[in-house]
């Protein structure tokens, strides 16, 4: 029974139930306070908040140890009666829970700093559901209220429900939902059992949570010191830096859950994530240590993670570096720069992926403080300081004192003023010099890192100035909604513009800007969602520089048939890549790649081309496909320019525009650095060559596609799709002779290729005179009339008449002969064949066993030097060659051979 | 006497003179036909054209050998009387010459194909000017009428004038202006002298022209066979391909003339240009041969040029590859692709610059012809062909015949139609397969060439599709006005749009589009102008890959003083680079670089940054300077989008926008590949961070600056200019720690640096409370009022009154204290010093003698292997290091040291 499905419909009838519920509440005159378990609040000094509802008790609690630790405890008795149906109960609970949160909202207005609030609900009656059913209901429930709970800083919700078994006996269960680190909800279920000494202890139902075998009525602990920082981070909308490992651990959980849907036989490892913090020791060296969270002495923290993923169940390593937004608001000072620099170098040294978790405030702004209480002012008019001042100086005695205590803190010029010795200040040099130079240091390193290793960023909080640049310099990025990337804050820009132009930083550099222009490759709803996407991305990437590609073989093999066949009409090219459920039969029509293996990136930008990564028979590949539908492109208005309006332009499918050419090139560069083979699903009529496109640099962007392909180091397969075409300028940037070492081209039997479309060729090469010649050859009437017009034996009159008839005949026949010409031109095209789409796939995927084996997961995780030394190119190239020889007898000539390359 | 100066004023009084001149003409009743030298037209069959003026005789002449060779001869007797003043004579000549050209215009309307027209003017009276004076007058004259002469296809103007000497005797001189190859005008002067046999022969006055020592009355030769092709090329507005060597020879002439203005002691070599054509022999090999022009068998021609330049008077080599627009309209077919590919490879093999002269029609469009007279049509209704057709087929006998003569020319499927054996055509495969694959071949090679050697293009004629891509793939380009770079012709686009949107190709991809978006680095008025600019550019470039930089030491040394000092107000940064004439004193205020050595590139695009190349003490360098004035940026409307309008936006100086960041990065990449050291005149407040800029990818473009600098292989000097500043985000992309191996930073004593401007820092770090504290410390009135407000001995009333006074005092003082805060913040900045701008230059230019000597011209032109093997980086790096140690004692700490990098 899927209880969760009932929930939303139940909500509809809520209004009707309300009266009943309130009645029930009011009828409870006597409350059993023992059921509120108030003894467990003994670590706190309590102040009850007034509540309208007798069943809901709210206490504002201040820790007896640390007065900063203040929180709310909500203790509620749930009066839900013995159920008739599941539906009934849930709608009641919904209403009751709403009441609790409303009450908390009112109470918490008095104590804004309250954090780690706690809700306890004790169900007064038992229910007849199984444990699993209740878990399903409650999980859905907590999910639905997630945002509200998070807003009210409720970090733990505890529910005590007695389950009634069929045989009549009852088991009290405690369900605990925790989201201390924010965004990630942990769930634990415990059964209450009586211990020998008579106390009640908790026994974990499923996974062993922190309260397993602990007394059920233990007092709630006071706040973890990290919780203050966590709270600060949550206020800014980001995960606290020391919760980043937990975030990725949760994300790994989701990755495995998804992997098991593909291969149920997979065993999920017990520990998904191990990590060591990277800490500086003497000599600027960084070592991996186990250190308690929160010991950081700068606003930048780094780790070495070992991730156990479906591709690398024994573990793969990544380096993570993250801003601590709670440390000097996450600004970049010399120390932060140094940590970022060295940890990135560490990742480059190991040749493994580097993840940057970005939430910061840009470069640190400082002002030397020592001179503040010392300087004097030379006034224009000593008696009227409001008349302005001339310069700042140190009096002679203060100058002497400063020379003693902080020599060099200031540069001065000695002057005499009415006999007084003054030291006019020319420079104050107290600032850390590294404040300015550090930005270049880390920018340069980030740029080199993108060239050298796999770099990706998780934009979890605002990323400003150098923070935004670090993300872009690493190229790949996942931006969480609500985390803007900007250069200057909205308020500062408003100040320059002298009017309130921008409402928020989000408006400047949020996902609606950065995803649409391709700075953000992916967006995410939450940090967890973002971490999951990063792990999905990393699943295509070798575990270290030049390592074999990670293979994850699911049910789909390379030699299966393809279910989806692209139609002649417009369609979504993603269907060709990943397949679809048939609209009528409900059957699965498989796509080119393994089911569920496609991750599209840069999806918000230049949508006339689709790019991403996918697996074919488990082998990861880069994918580029032409969109063939017309797409609306929206250029947002800039509030700073009153004349600007939102522009919507239609971009035709199968045509490269400056933006889509740029996207194509960028994807090629990324794939190449990631060591992926590449397939391009070609279907282009060429480049858009209007004035706007030429002005916007279509030649520049198109050239970059050539630059990318000509330096590509892995096999590239260009495949003109069924009912697709490749024309004109597209040949200059996709022709396999751009890089004959690596590129191969295929065309479906239903594909077309040529310089111009048949209509265009006819326009140039089969003009009227040629058509007339064909007419004369094929149409006897036309031919005989033509003869008549020239026949000297006829009278002039007859010849003129024949000419008139000839002209009429020509007009009559012309449309048909134009069709003939177009058909002739069309037949002339380079319709080189593979047998069909399915055979093409077979051809494509006959990757030799040699490559496949080498690309298999390496149980040593490639940590030995021998493995690292085998470059991918050395391995893939011969394999690629071998594969060519394998392919030929199967399929006859591919297009490239036919073209004579 | 500067006769040319009189000319324009003389024209003003032209109208008045007209009557007189016509009177004179009509008064000449008897013409001495011998003076027309008609005997020299004996190689032609002549038809006189009627002319209103008796003194002007026009003949339409057809060669007796080749009837295609037809031209006009204009024979005129110039009736100008013995002069009173030079002015009088010139105005008369102007009018007379206008009459000649008008008459020719009328006559030539009858013979549109006439080419190589000839004008002969015989002056009936002698003049008293010297030879040099007459040359000056006539040259200016021909210059002024150049366009008209060119339009009328006049390739030679001959004038016979007798010069009268003071002593009374007279010398007849023939002045011949030739522009056979178009655009370039050659001038020769000959004196008529009597030979021993009584004939008159010509004796060159100055340089020895082709008629030196030839009979004066020799018959005019008939047309050079190449002239037809030349004519075709000129019609399209471009130089004929085999005139390209002459074009560069002329350009070298201009280069030397300019070089002599800098160093008059230079000796101009006798031969400026030597060249060999690169011709394919067996085995696809190309060899250098002397071959007569016009022997090409494809539309692509290549040469190895040896250029004698001021930097390399013994010669430097470049490879030139050029389209022949007269060969299949300059389209790219397999042969052209192959020639381009191999000649580019040849240049890469030698490691020397490659110049591409582009004038073409894009990819060749072909249609197999063999099947055209053979196919039959399956009509829908045999009796009514106008009802349309079904398919094309070959009848059985034609099929059999074709199988014999051209097996495989067609693919067919045999079908039966009413008992008849038909072979339905499915494919016609007669086309050269290379048509499609060649584009990729040359695109890939062009892309690699840009990475490998110095590549530059001269866009002399329209460049379409792959032709435009080849230009862009080589990056550097000089576009001649009127030579568009496009992807699709205007007519073809109009057809797609179904309305006449574009008037011309020029409108699509002319200089007004391509120079403004940075595809064209330079524009030129003419092919000669363009060739000159290319040679100027090459003068900064080592003669071969990794060779020493070419030094051209003029009068300016590196250790001279700089005359121009940038003011605090806005100014043109070019003045700082190249100097200026002082507005008041008329004195030369020298700039940073050698006088006259600056060549700005990309000047039409993103004008808030200025880039180019210049010499310092003869050493070539890349230059990047921030514009500090506000610039208007114009985005043209696209006629294809009726809603689009021309957009004008103001871009502030000292701020990076997406376009100027992109330009900065592109210049850095180009300079790096060219092996140039780089100086950046920094003066930036940061990046523009509005929504539009973020949307337009400011982060992407800014990141490329980092990418470029972090991989720079030569020394980079960042110099914050006098009265300049460097703030905020600019530090992330210019900080010297981006590439500490190569980068150094300097700041003028009058420059400022910091994260924020003082106003911004005060906003954040010195809010009201801090100002109040300073006020309390410095202002006794304020302090005592404040004490009063808290003094418990006072009455409440007094305290309230004191508070009111305190508030008033605060308002009064606040403006001054804000100034104090801003000054305090300003003093806090990183105003690190070099002594001043001049010292900075000294510091900068102390290039060690070791480097300077190595960079001197190599008399062997670097053709020996030993020279090639010395990489620039090996040589420059240690020098750079040595220079660092030299610099320190001279100047104290540079900014970089101060910053602790």
């Amino acid at each position: 029974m899927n209880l969760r499905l009932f929930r939303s419909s139940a909500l509809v009838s809520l209004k009707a139930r309300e009266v009943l519920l309130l009645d029930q509440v009011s009828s409870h005159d006597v409350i059993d306070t023992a059921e509120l378990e108030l003894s467990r609040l003994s670590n706190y000094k309590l102040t009850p908040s007034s509540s309208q509802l007798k069943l809901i008790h709210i206490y504002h609690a201040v820790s007896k140890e640390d007065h900063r630790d203040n929180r709310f405890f909500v203790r509620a008795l749930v009066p839900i009666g013995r159920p008739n149906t599941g539906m009934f109960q849930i709608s009641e609970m919904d209403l009751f829970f709403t009441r609790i949160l409303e009450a908390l909202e009112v109470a918490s207005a008095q104590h804004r700093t309250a954090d780690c609030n706690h809700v306890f609900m004790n169900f007064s009656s038992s229910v007849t559901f199984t444990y699993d059913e209740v878990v399903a209901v409650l999980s859905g429930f907590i999910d639905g209220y997630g945002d509200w709970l998070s807003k009210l800083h409720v970090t733990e919700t505890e529910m005590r429900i007695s389950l009634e078994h069929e045989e009549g006996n009852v088991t009290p269960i405690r369900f605990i939902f925790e989201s201390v680190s924010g965004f990630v909800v942990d769930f634990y279920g415990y059964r209450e059992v009586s211990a020998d000494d008579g106390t009640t202890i908790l026994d974990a139902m499923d996974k062993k949570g922190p309260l397993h075998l602990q007394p059920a009525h233990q007092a709630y602990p006071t706040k973890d010191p990290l919780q203050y920082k966590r709270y600060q981070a949550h206020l800014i909308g980001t995960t606290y830096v020391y919760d980043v490992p937990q975030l990725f651990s949760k994300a790994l959980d989701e990755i495995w859950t998804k992997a098991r849907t593909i291969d149920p036989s997979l065993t999920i490892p017990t520990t998904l994530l191990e990590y060591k913090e990277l800490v500086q020791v003497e000599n600027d060296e960084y070592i991996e240590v186990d250190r308690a969270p929160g010991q950081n002495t700068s606003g930048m923290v780094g780790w070495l993670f070992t991730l156990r993923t479906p591709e690398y169940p024994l573990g793969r390593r990544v380096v993570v570096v993250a801003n601590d937004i709670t440390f000097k608001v996450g600004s970049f000072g010399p120390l932060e720069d140094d940590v970022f620099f060295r940890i990135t170098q560490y990742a480059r040294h190991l040749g493994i992926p580097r993840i940057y978790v970005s939430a910061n405030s840009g470069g640190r702004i400082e002002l030397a403080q020592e001179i503040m209480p010392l300087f004097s002012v030379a006034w224009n008019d000593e008696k009227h300081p409001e008349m302005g001042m001339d310069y700042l100086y140190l009096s002679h005695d203060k100058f002497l004192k400063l020379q003693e205590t902080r020599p060099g803190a200031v540069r001065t010029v000695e002057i005499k003023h009415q006999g007084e010795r003054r030291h006019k200040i020319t420079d104050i040099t107290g600032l850390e010099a590294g404040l300015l130079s550090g930005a270049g240091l880390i920018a340069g390193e980030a740029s080199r890192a993108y060239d050298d290793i796999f770099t990706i960023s998780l934009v979890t909080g605002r990323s400003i100035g150098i923070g935004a640049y670090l993300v872009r310099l690493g190229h790949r990025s996942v931006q969480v909604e609500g985390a803007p990337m900007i250069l200057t804050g909205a308020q500062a820009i408003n100040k320059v513009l002298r009017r309130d132009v921008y409402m928020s930083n989000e408006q400047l550099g949020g996902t609606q800007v950065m995803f649409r222009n391709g700075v953000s490759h992916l967006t995410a709803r939450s940090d967890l969602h973002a971490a999951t996407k990063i792990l999905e991305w990393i699943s295509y990437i070798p575990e270290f520089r030049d390592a074999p590609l990670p293979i994850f073989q699911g049910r789909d093999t390379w030699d299966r048939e393809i279910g989806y066949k692209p139609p002649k009409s417009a369609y979504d090219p993603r269907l060709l890549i990943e397949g679809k459920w048939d609209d009528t039969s409900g059957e699965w029509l498989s796509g080119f790649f393994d089911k569920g293996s496609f991750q599209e990136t840069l999806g918000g930008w230049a949508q006339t081309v689709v790019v991403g990564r996918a697996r074919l028979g488990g082998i990861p590949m880069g994918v580029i496909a032409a969109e063939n539908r017309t797409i609306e492109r929206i250029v947002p208005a800039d509030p700073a320019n009153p004349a600007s309006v939102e522009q919507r332009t239609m971009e035709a499918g199968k045509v490269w525009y400056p933006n889509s050419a740029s996207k194509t090139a960028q994807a090629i560069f990324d794939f190449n650095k990631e060591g992926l083979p590449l397939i391009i699903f070609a279907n282009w009529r060429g480049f858009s060559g209007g004035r706007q496109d030429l002005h916007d640099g279509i030649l520049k962007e198109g050239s970059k596609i050539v630059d990318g392909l000509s330096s590509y180091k892995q096999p590239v397969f260009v495949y003109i799709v069924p009912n697709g075409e490749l024309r004109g300028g597209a040949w200059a940037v996709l022709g396999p002779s751009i890089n004959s070492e690596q590129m191969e081209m295929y065309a479906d039997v239903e594909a077309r290729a040529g310089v111009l479309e048949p209509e265009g060729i006819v326009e140039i090469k089969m003009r009227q005179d040629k058509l007339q010649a064909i007419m004369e050859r094929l149409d006897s009437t036309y031919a005989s009339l033509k003869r008549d017009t020239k026949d000297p034996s006829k009278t002039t009159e007859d010849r003129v008449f024949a000419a008139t008839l000839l002209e009429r005949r020509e007009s009559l026949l012309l449309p048909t002969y134009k069709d003939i010409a177009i058909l002739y031109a069309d037949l002339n095209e380079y319709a080189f064949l593979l047998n069909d789409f399915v055979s093409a796939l077979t051809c494509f995927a006959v990757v030799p066993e040699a490559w496949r084996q080498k690309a298999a997961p390496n149980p040593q995780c490639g940590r030995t030097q021998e493995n690292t030394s085998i470059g991918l190119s050395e391995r893939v190239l011969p394999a690629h060659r071998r594969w060519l020889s394998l392919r030929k007898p199967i399929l006859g000539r591919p297009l490239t051979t036919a073209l004579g390359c």
Side-chain angles (χ1 to χ4, degrees), chain A:
Chain A
M1 178 183 168
N2 189 345
L3 285 171
R4 298 175 72 170
L5 284 179
F6 285 93
R7 213 180 138 245
S8 52
S9 56
L11 280 168
V12 180
S13 62
L14 208 66
K15 277 264 155 83
R17 303 285 325 145
E18 197 152 343
V19 186
L20 171 69
L21 184 65
L22 292 176
D23 279 352
Q24 284 179 307
V25 173
S26 61
S27 71
H28 270 76
D29 286 324
V30 184
I31 302 274
D32 182 355
T33 51
E35 284 187 28
L36 294 177
E37 300 182 5
L38 293 180
S39 63
R40 295 178 60 200
L41 279 54
S42 58
N43 288 336
Y44 294 87
K45 224 176 74 193
L46 302 179
T47 316
S49 288
S50 63
S51 164
Q52 298 295 325
L53 302 168
K54 293 214 175 81
L55 293 177
I56 301 172
H57 294 241
I58 301 185
Y59 301 91
H60 181 242
V62 177
S63 160
K64 289 175 180 166
E65 283 155 20
D66 181 351
H67 69 94
R68 288 181 310 162
D69 177 2
N70 78 102
R71 59 177 73 184
F72 285 98
F73 284 100
V74 182
R75 318 297 289 177
L77 296 180
V78 186
I80 293 164
R82 192 170 279 252
N84 295 321
T85 66
M87 201 170 104
F88 175 59
Q89 227 173 14
I90 293 162
S91 68
E92 275 190 342
M93 241 184 82
D94 242 326
L95 180 58
F96 192 77
F97 204 63
T98 305
R99 287 278 167 281
I100 288 178
L101 296 187
E102 280 170 0
L104 179 56
E105 191 147 12
V106 170
S108 66
Q110 308 289 321
H111 300 276
R112 288 277 175 219
T113 59
D115 186 32
C116 291
N117 299 328
H118 186 279
V119 173
F120 172 65
M121 295 164 73
N122 199 345
F123 286 65
S124 49
S125 312
S126 56
V127 297
T128 54
F129 297 121
T130 67
Y131 173 74
D132 287 340
E133 282 167 350
V134 177
V135 169
V137 174
L138 294 183
S139 299
F141 199 76
I142 293 293
D143 263 8
Y145 281 97
D147 285 347
W148 198 359
L149 286 167
S150 161
K151 198 179 134 218
L152 291 172
H153 301 289
V154 174
T155 51
E156 187 170 323
T157 308
E158 180 178 351
M159 300 190 214
R160 184 174 183 277
I161 303 180
S162 295
L163 301 188
E164 191 174 328
H165 303 275
E166 278 179 26
E167 56 271 36
N169 51 355
V170 159
T171 316
I173 308 277
R174 285 184 194 254
F175 301 90
I176 295 175
F177 295 88
E178 254 186 27
S179 68
V180 176
S181 61
F183 312 115
V184 183
V185 177
D186 281 316
F187 162 74
Y188 304 98
Y190 305 95
R191 192 170 29 164
E192 292 184 4
V193 292
S194 292
D196 296 342
D197 62 357
T199 57
T200 309
I201 61 167
L202 299 176
D203 180 27
M205 294 291 293
D206 198 347
K207 62 184 167 188
K208 294 187 174 61
L211 297 180
H212 180 52
L213 303 183
Q214 298 287 315
H217 299 101
Q218 207 173 20
Y220 295 109
T222 53
K223 204 179 277 183
D224 173 358
L226 285 188
Q227 195 57 34
Y228 301 107
K229 299 207 154 198
R230 211 167 253 145
Y231 177 68
Q232 259 182 286
H234 294 181
L235 279 185
I236 297 169
T238 171
T239 301
Y240 174 52
V241 64
Y242 278 99
D243 290 328
V244 166
Q246 198 198 338
L247 183 72
F248 278 88
S249 178
K250 262 280 157 188
L252 277 171
D253 214 47
E254 304 219 345
I255 293 288
W256 277 97
T257 307
K258 187 180 165 197
R260 283 191 50 163
T261 64
I262 293 165
D263 181 359
S265 72
L266 286 175
T267 320
I268 303 185
T270 328
T271 314
L272 294 179
L273 176 78
E274 285 164 43
Y275 63 94
K276 304 265 187 187
E277 192 170 347
L278 294 168
V279 175
Q280 190 180 21
V281 287
E282 282 162 39
N283 300 328
D284 293 346
E285 213 184 311
Y286 274 68
I287 57 162
E288 305 156 21
V289 297
D290 278 314
R291 186 165 82 162
Q295 307 294 307
N296 54 321
T297 52
S298 81
M300 193 73 73
V301 180
W303 299 272
L304 183 69
F305 280 9
T306 302
L307 310 167
R308 297 199 210 287
T309 69
E311 299 80 27
Y312 296 99
L314 297 174
R316 67 178 296 167
R317 298 183 304 167
V318 301
V319 163
V320 179
V321 60
N323 291 116
D324 181 354
I325 191 88
T326 69
F327 191 98
K328 297 196 181 179
V329 292
S331 62
F332 287 82
L335 263 177
E336 287 75 16
D337 295 339
D338 189 67
V339 174
F340 186 93
F341 176 73
R342 291 188 191 279
I343 287 181
T344 304
Q345 281 204 322
Y346 191 77
R348 289 178 60 200
H349 169 70
L350 296 176
I352 60 176
R354 189 230 58 192
I355 302 170
Y356 168 44
V357 181
S358 173
N360 55 70
S361 301
R364 188 169 300 157
I365 295 151
E366 291 203 347
L367 212 49
Q369 299 297 320
E370 306 98 11
I371 316 301
M372 200 87 83
L374 300 180
F375 70 83
S376 304
V377 177
W379 305 104
N380 289 336
D381 180 340
E382 199 74 46
K383 299 235 168 55
H384 294 281
E386 70 273 18
M387 301 295 283
M389 55 96 208
D390 188 11
Y391 57 87
L392 306 186
Y393 67 93
L394 293 176
S395 62
H396 188 60
D397 52 334
K398 281 190 179 149
F399 174 76
L400 290 178
K401 210 168 142 196
L402 190 71
Q403 285 300 78
E404 249 170 59
T405 56
R406 286 285 314 267
V410 77
R411 285 199 210 94
T412 54
V413 176
E414 188 171 333
I415 48 178
K416 285 263 177 194
H417 179 79
Q418 300 174 345
E420 180 195 346
R421 287 178 76 178
R422 287 180 172 185
H423 298 268
K424 180 178 170 181
I425 302 172
T426 60
D427 292 278
I428 304 170
T429 56
L431 291 191
E432 292 176 274
L435 269 187
L436 293 179
S437 70
L441 183 76
I442 54 182
E445 186 60 20
S447 166
R448 283 183 289 268
Y450 170 70
D451 276 338
D452 195 17
I453 53 173
F454 178 84
T455 52
I456 194 166
S457 299
L458 195 171
V459 184
T460 153
R462 64 173 186 230
S463 299
I464 303 181
I466 178 66
Y469 266 117
L470 290 181
V471 171
R472 174 58 197 174
L473 284 162
H475 282 245
R476 304 173 198 85
S477 65
V478 182
Q479 187 180 16
V480 177
E481 281 156 26
M485 293 165 67
I486 56 172
L487 289 170
T488 312
Q491 291 319 313
I493 296 187
N494 287 346
K495 199 147 268 167
V496 172
L497 297 173
R498 289 168 206 278
R499 54 203 169 91
D500 281 346
V501 166
Y502 296 109
M503 315 277 283
S504 67
N505 292 335
E506 208 14 32
Q507 191 188 12
L508 277 168
T511 50
Q512 79 278 23
V513 173
M514 290 299 168
F515 189 50
R516 282 206 193 143
N517 72 3
V519 168
S520 294
H521 294 235
L522 291 167
T523 61
R525 292 183 303 279
S526 65
D527 287 0
L528 175 61
H529 189 210
T532 310
K533 285 191 165 181
I534 286 179
L535 292 178
E536 277 172 8
W537 196 328
I538 286 181
S539 77
Y540 306 105
I541 308 303
E543 61 171 323
F544 53 89
R545 187 194 297 124
D546 297 334
L549 291 173
I551 306 287
F552 179 70
Q553 177 79 58
R555 253 173 266 148
D556 285 341
T557 55
W558 60 265
D559 53 357
R560 72 187 151 81
E561 301 245 329
I562 301 282
Y564 179 76
K565 158 126 190 170
K568 288 198 177 182
S569 54
Y571 62 95
D572 184 343
R574 290 166 193 83
L575 306 182
L576 189 152
I577 295 170
E578 54 180 359
K580 68 172 284 200
W581 294 99
D582 190 63
D583 294 335
T584 48
S585 70
E587 206 185 333
W588 174 249
L589 301 174
S590 61
F592 193 91
F593 289 101
D594 300 354
K595 185 173 173 183
S597 75
F598 176 57
Q599 183 184 40
E600 183 177 352
T601 50
L602 298 171
W605 175 43
Q607 298 178 324
T608 56
V609 67
V610 175
V611 307
R613 288 152 195 81
R615 281 191 196 81
L616 182 69
I619 305 165
M621 301 191 74
V623 191
I624 295 172
E627 176 61 81
N628 54 80
R629 299 168 299 176
T630 295
I631 298 286
E632 189 180 53
R633 177 179 169 220
I634 301 168
V635 179
D638 183 10
N641 177 3
S644 82
V645 289
E646 185 182 85
Q647 282 172 42
R648 287 164 183 266
T649 44
M650 303 310 286
E651 296 185 333
K654 310 208 278 186
V655 174
W656 263 309
Y657 292 89
N659 61 356
S660 47
S662 171
K663 177 172 167 179
T664 306
Q666 180 168 330
I668 293 171
F669 278 102
D670 285 347
F671 297 150
N672 194 17
K673 288 192 197 295
E674 291 167 19
L676 298 177
L678 166 63
I679 185 156
I680 299 175
F681 290 110
N683 190 8
W684 278 283
R685 298 170 62 198
F687 287 90
S688 183
R691 191 180 206 210
Q692 185 73 47
D693 304 304
L694 288 166
H695 180 271
D696 290 350
I698 187 97
L699 282 173
K700 289 186 185 182
E701 305 303 340
S703 292
K704 287 181 196 152
I705 300 177
V706 179
D707 294 338
L709 289 176
S710 73
S711 57
Y712 211 84
K713 294 194 180 61
Q714 294 80 238
V716 178
F717 309 94
V718 181
Y719 177 72
I720 311 178
V721 299
N723 296 314
E725 58 186 318
L726 195 64
R727 314 264 184 197
W731 281 93
V733 305
L734 284 188
S737 39
I738 287 173
N739 182 351
S740 50
E741 282 281 295
Q742 297 293 359
M743 288 177 76
E744 287 279 318
M745 181 180 268
Y746 302 88
D748 191 85
V749 67
E750 296 289 340
R752 285 280 178 266
V755 175
L756 290 185
E757 293 167 34
E759 292 76 3
I761 296 178
V762 165
E763 203 76 54
I764 292 166
K765 289 281 168 185
M766 285 181 100
R767 295 180 189 224
Q768 194 104 339
D769 55 335
K770 295 227 168 161
L771 290 184
Q772 285 167 342
I774 299 173
M775 241 177 240
E776 194 173 347
R777 184 170 70 78
L778 293 177
D779 195 76
S780 54
T781 316
Y782 185 88
S784 97
L785 284 171
K786 184 137 195 192
R787 270 193 309 277
D788 290 352
T789 61
K790 293 174 190 162
D791 188 345
S793 69
K794 301 225 180 253
T795 65
T796 316
E797 232 167 46
D798 282 353
R799 286 209 297 269
V800 169
F801 185 60
T804 315
L805 290 180
L806 183 73
E807 208 172 288
R808 267 192 219 151
R809 183 76 187 161
E810 189 176 317
S811 312
L812 182 71
L813 296 180
L814 208 56
T816 303
Y817 277 78
K818 275 202 174 144
D819 286 350
I820 292 173
I822 288 171
L823 178 57
Y824 186 86
D826 198 27
L827 291 171
N828 251 275
E829 290 191 291
Y830 305 82
F832 293 100
L833 342 161
L834 299 182
N835 292 338
D836 56 8
F837 190 49
V838 176
S839 320
L841 169 67
T842 317
C843 145
F844 169 72
V846 181
V847 180
E849 282 309 307
W851 184 21
R852 293 168 64 78
Q853 276 162 22
K854 286 213 171 160
N858 180 337
Q860 297 303 317
C861 302
R863 283 175 203 166
T864 57
Q865 193 52 43
E866 306 96 82
N867 281 316
T868 326
S869 66
I870 306 170
L872 180 65
S873 56
E874 290 162 42
R875 215 174 40 257
V876 171
L877 265 181
H880 175 47
R881 291 264 169 64
R882 215 178 118 190
W883 168 76
L884 283 178
S885 58
L886 267 183
R887 179 177 41 76
K888 273 178 190 157
I890 302 176
L891 284 162
R893 59 179 194 166
L895 180 55
T896 45
T897 318
L899 290 173
C901 328

